[in-house]
Structures are given as structure tokens and as C-alpha cells.
Amino acid sequence: MGSADRSLREQAAQEAGKRSGDPRVQGLLVEAEMACNAHEYQTRTSTAESRLLRTHVPAVRRLRACSQLPDVPVVVLSATRGLPKGLRTRWTSLQAQIAATTVRGEHVVVPDAAHYIHDSQPEAVTTSVLTVVDLARDGQASQ
């Protein structure tokens, strides 16, 4: 893993540099990428989940429709670009409804963000993650 780990970290650092000029955000992006790829089983699980989702879409939709979010802090981010206006409005409304289903849910519309918000507006994602961490730790928002 030594050289693969180093190569992955270098690639993650290059990508983080493209996403943000803020060294703190870059560091968070690199660590997130490293955490997502820390173990072989994570790669296998991700591949299996993608395959499962593709082959069992109706079952996944049924499960999602009848499930509830636990009582945990949740921030749902919505993009503003990348879809026709009517479809974007519909998705944003659905995402707002998801946030509204939990007591500690928050919906944030991210200006000038595309589908991959972590690519187009990484600061919004890291801010939201840090907010959720703070809320989970002490139950209070620290914005």
C-alpha cells in the first residue's frame, strides 16, 4: 500500500488544488479521498453498491419511499445549474422535503453549483460537513 497510498494522496492533492485555493479545504478534500479509499473492502463495496443500484432500481426506490431518516443533524445541498429550469425546481423541492423530514434538517441552495457540488463548490460541502459534525457533537449550530 505504501507507493499506492502515496500516489493516491498526490492525485487527491492535485484534484483538491483544482477545487479550492483554500489550504484548509484542500486538506479536508485530500483526507476525505484517502478515507474513502483506505481499505480494499471500501473499493469492493462501492463497486458492489453501484452494481446493486443499477440492477435493482425499483426495489431501491420502494425502500427509499418508506424509510425515515434517524434523528441526526442533516444538511441537504441543492445545486442551481445543470438541469432545465423546471426539472431543477422539482429536484430542489424534493431535496427541501428531505431536509424537512428530520427535526435537525437544513436545506441549503448552493449558488453556482452543478450536480457534483463537491467539485464546483467544495467550500459549501466542507462547511456543511463541519456544521453537521458540530451539531452531532453538542447539538448546537456553529456557523
Side-chain angles (χ1 to χ4, degrees):
M1 276 305 268
S3 63
D5 186 55
R6 185 171 47 253
S7 176
L8 180 61
R9 183 171 293 278
E10 288 170 1
Q11 183 179 3
Q14 288 176 353
E15 288 299 314
K18 293 176 189 175
R19 308 288 181 247
S20 174
D22 182 341
R24 180 171 181 255
V25 171
Q26 289 175 357
L28 291 168
L29 291 170
V30 169
E31 292 312 312
E33 182 68 25
M34 297 305 292
C36 288
N37 293 285
H39 303 283
E40 176 65 28
Y41 74 83
Q42 290 170 302
T43 304
R44 286 193 314 269
T45 299
S46 178
T47 301
E49 286 173 348
S50 293
R51 187 172 41 253
L52 178 68
L53 287 173
R54 282 192 310 274
T55 59
H56 295 86
V57 170
V60 170
R61 285 187 177 148
R62 279 193 309 277
L63 289 170
R64 284 182 178 167
C66 68
S67 63
Q68 293 181 339
L69 292 173
D71 182 16
V72 296
V74 175
V75 176
V76 180
L77 302 177
S78 290
T80 54
R81 307 187 279 116
L83 291 175
K85 186 177 180 179
L87 192 52
R88 170 56 52 213
T89 300
R90 182 172 170 225
W91 273 111
T92 300
S93 174
L94 290 169
Q95 291 164 329
Q97 290 173 29
I98 291 169
T101 63
T102 180
V103 175
R104 296 190 279 169
E106 178 185 356
H107 179 235
V108 177
V109 177
V110 182
D112 200 33
H115 177 73
Y116 296 107
I117 296 175
H118 61 284
D119 276 347
S120 58
Q121 298 293 333
E123 289 84 1
V125 176
T126 54
T127 298
S128 295
V129 169
L130 293 171
T131 296
V132 168
V133 168
D134 287 345
L135 287 167
R137 285 187 176 146
D138 61 28
Q140 298 176 21
S142 63
Q143 295 201 19

